[in-house]
Amino acid sequence: MVFNLYKSLSFFSGCLGLDLGLEKAGITPLIACDFDKSCRKTIQSNRPDLPVIEDITAYTFEEIAKLASLKQGEHPFLITGGPPCQAFSTAGKRQGFKDPRGNVFLHFIELIKFFEPTYAVIENVRGLLSAPLKHRPHSERNDDFPSLEIEELPGGALNHVLGLLNDCGYEISFNLYNAANFGTPQKRERVVLIASRQGKVPHLNPTHSDNPNDHLPKWRTFRDVCGDLPADNQTSLSFPEARLKFYRMIGPGQHWRHLPTEDLKREALGKSYYAGGGKTGFIRRIAWDEPAPTLVTSPTMPATDLAHPELDRPLSIEEYKRLQEFPDNWMIEGSIQNQYKQLGNAVPVGLGRAIGKAIIEHNEGRSTSPPKNFRFSRYHNTNEYSWKDELIKKASRGGQQRLL
């Protein structure tokens, strides 16, 4: 048995997607943490020897160290966490650190400051890149009011986090990564921030691509990972009969726009037919030969349907597990709705493995940088360099100079 030098403390652990990926790279958790009862049951069912705590704010840092079996003064190799992202989500009210969940984010930063790990990983939604630290009402954004301060600019929250970590001696790299570029059969984009006390960690090295010029294996598809699953004995919710009527008219990879008549399209969407946007999540079947869209916490919500390519049902729990790269025998506890939620919120295992690989290689002096100009996501200004340049431009336009 090989002794594993690399140990981590895992917070906001969910159903351990990130931790499973880190384990594949060689990093083992000493403790897990999640506020959700079903997540804790999932962790305990699959890792019965792993200590699990509930609320990160309910324990002193010394108590956490004891539960993780850390000796006095011992620093963990890695601390990881995906603090609640609703405070930063573009779909939310964007209250940032005024939201109690944003304060949990700050508590997580304090935990990193206390334990001084060699590395820390923070993963979050894309909204973190543009969330302000303080929100100014739109009614006060005109010539009658002062220019927006740094904290009120898009990106002010992340700028604050970076400053806190910089003050603790960490160098930071981050990017918005599409998990499909790391072998996940799903187009899922997440911000991954890696803080290091031993110099900046390069961006992750992709293993797959949809661009032939990258000379990498093609993105993995729904068929690649789910094609051998039996048609029956799947655990899933059901679509209402009123929606199934429309599903029976479309094929793999199609959605409401492929319904045969305009009247049917109008009937299928109801009032949403007159709303703006592409609305491609309505009445949507997964394509066989592409990665799945981002898995959501419920595959039956009208605007984010995730239906099987051919069968008249939503994607199953078994398919969700394969698309997030969990083992088939990985137990997900709780009601079926809660199982979907846990899996829909999880970090894909392949992305976790890429993160762990990058950290270990950096620690051992074996880092390699990704191909030049590789497109990690469909968005621009998503890494620490271009993001900072964009923030400086916005600050300069408002006459603000208080940047890191």
Side-chain angles (χ1 to χ4, degrees):
M1 185 175 187
V2 178
F3 179 69
N4 191 336
L5 291 173
Y6 301 120
K7 305 292 185 181
S8 66
L9 307 185
S10 171
F11 300 94
F12 312 101
S13 310
C15 55
L16 293 184
L18 175 58
D19 297 283
L20 275 173
L22 293 172
E23 281 186 352
K24 287 181 178 292
I27 302 172
T28 304
L30 295 173
I31 194 170
C33 168
D34 205 278
F35 192 79
D36 186 271
K37 183 178 180 181
S38 294
C39 287
R40 295 197 304 277
K41 287 184 176 180
T42 293
I43 295 168
Q44 290 165 339
S45 293
N46 294 282
R47 292 289 186 269
D49 296 328
L50 182 64
V52 184
I53 62 174
E54 179 182 343
D55 183 355
I56 189 174
T57 65
Y59 296 81
T60 67
F61 296 152
E62 290 82 5
E63 288 171 334
I64 291 173
K66 184 176 180 180
L67 287 167
S69 299
L70 290 176
K71 299 175 183 177
Q72 186 173 0
E74 182 180 0
H75 304 289
F77 176 70
L78 173 66
I79 286 181
T80 68
C85 56
Q86 292 93 329
F88 305 111
S89 173
T90 55
K93 294 182 179 180
R94 305 302 293 273
Q95 294 299 305
F97 288 120
K98 288 187 177 181
D99 189 307
R101 293 164 298 194
N103 291 333
V104 174
F105 200 118
L106 288 182
H107 188 86
F108 180 61
I109 300 299
E110 289 299 314
L111 187 146
I112 292 172
K113 290 170 63 176
F114 176 84
F115 281 104
E116 295 184 337
T118 308
Y119 298 92
V121 169
I122 300 173
E123 65 84 22
N124 221 287
V125 294
R126 179 171 60 91
L128 177 61
L129 298 173
S130 58
L133 182 66
K134 297 190 299 184
H135 177 73
R136 185 187 296 191
H138 285 278
S139 60
E140 299 177 10
R141 300 186 188 194
N142 55 55
D143 293 340
D144 296 330
F145 294 89
S147 299
L148 293 176
E149 298 179 358
I150 293 294
E151 293 83 0
E152 297 173 311
L153 289 173
L158 179 55
N159 190 57
H160 182 65
V161 169
L162 296 178
L164 294 174
L165 291 172
N166 287 154
D167 289 345
C168 299
Y170 287 97
E171 293 189 51
I172 299 149
S173 61
F174 64 84
N175 216 327
L176 179 67
Y177 294 107
N178 184 346
N181 291 320
F182 304 94
T184 299
Q186 181 190 167
K187 301 172 188 175
R188 187 182 189 90
E189 294 179 318
R190 301 289 288 190
V191 174
V192 176
L193 182 155
I194 302 178
S196 167
R197 299 178 70 85
Q198 299 186 155
K200 185 176 289 191
V201 178
H203 293 147
L204 307 183
N205 258 306
T207 58
H208 294 70
S209 175
D210 66 335
N211 185 347
N213 295 327
D214 290 328
H215 305 292
L216 291 170
K218 293 181 180 179
W219 281 349
R220 297 171 73 210
T221 69
F222 181 81
R223 189 190 301 275
D224 289 338
V225 299
C226 294
D228 65 337
L229 285 171
D232 54 3
N233 295 324
Q234 299 286 301
T235 308
S236 74
L237 295 171
S238 301
F239 288 126
E241 183 60 34
R243 217 180 300 170
L244 285 174
K245 165 186 173 181
F246 304 109
Y247 272 113
R248 294 179 181 121
M249 301 180 193
I250 62 174
Q254 295 185 333
H255 51 77
W256 70 277
R257 290 188 185 276
H258 296 93
L259 290 169
T261 70
E262 206 63 32
D263 285 344
L264 284 168
K265 296 175 185 177
R266 192 177 296 110
E267 181 186 352
L269 264 66
K271 293 181 180 179
S272 297
Y273 179 84
Y274 302 98
K279 302 183 286 287
T280 55
F282 287 85
I283 317 294
R284 174 177 57 179
R285 285 193 182 275
I286 298 300
W288 276 113
D289 297 312
E290 295 179 12
T294 300
L295 297 188
V296 291
T297 54
S298 174
T300 60
M301 296 299 289
T304 54
D305 273 358
L306 290 171
H308 187 275
E310 297 176 11
L311 303 176
D312 293 335
R313 61 161 175 78
L315 294 183
S316 67
I317 294 296
E318 290 79 7
E319 289 159 346
Y320 257 55
K321 284 202 286 187
R322 294 237 178 143
L323 292 168
Q324 289 282 50
E325 302 174 277
F326 285 89
D328 287 348
N329 62 357
W330 192 258
M331 292 175 281
I332 305 292
E333 302 291 352
S335 67
I336 185 170
Q337 290 88 350
N338 204 286
Q339 291 178 49
Y340 276 117
K341 181 181 177 182
Q342 290 178 61
L343 290 165
N345 282 331
V347 175
V349 173
L351 181 56
R353 181 176 57 242
I355 295 168
K357 184 173 183 287
I359 289 172
I360 288 177
E361 288 180 349
H362 182 264
N363 187 67
E364 296 178 353
R366 300 185 287 111
S367 286
T368 57
S369 297
K372 189 176 181 181
N373 299 323
F374 186 85
R375 286 295 301 275
F376 285 106
S377 83
R378 54 190 164 144
Y379 295 96
H380 298 283
N381 301 324
T382 60
N383 63 54
E384 70 272 20
Y385 303 110
S386 58
W387 175 88
K388 191 61 172 285
D389 287 344
E390 186 66 19
L391 183 61
I392 290 172
K393 290 178 184 177
K394 293 173 183 175
S396 297
R397 286 196 291 268
Q400 303 296 325
Q401 301 298 327
R402 290 184 289 110
L403 284 167
L404 296 174

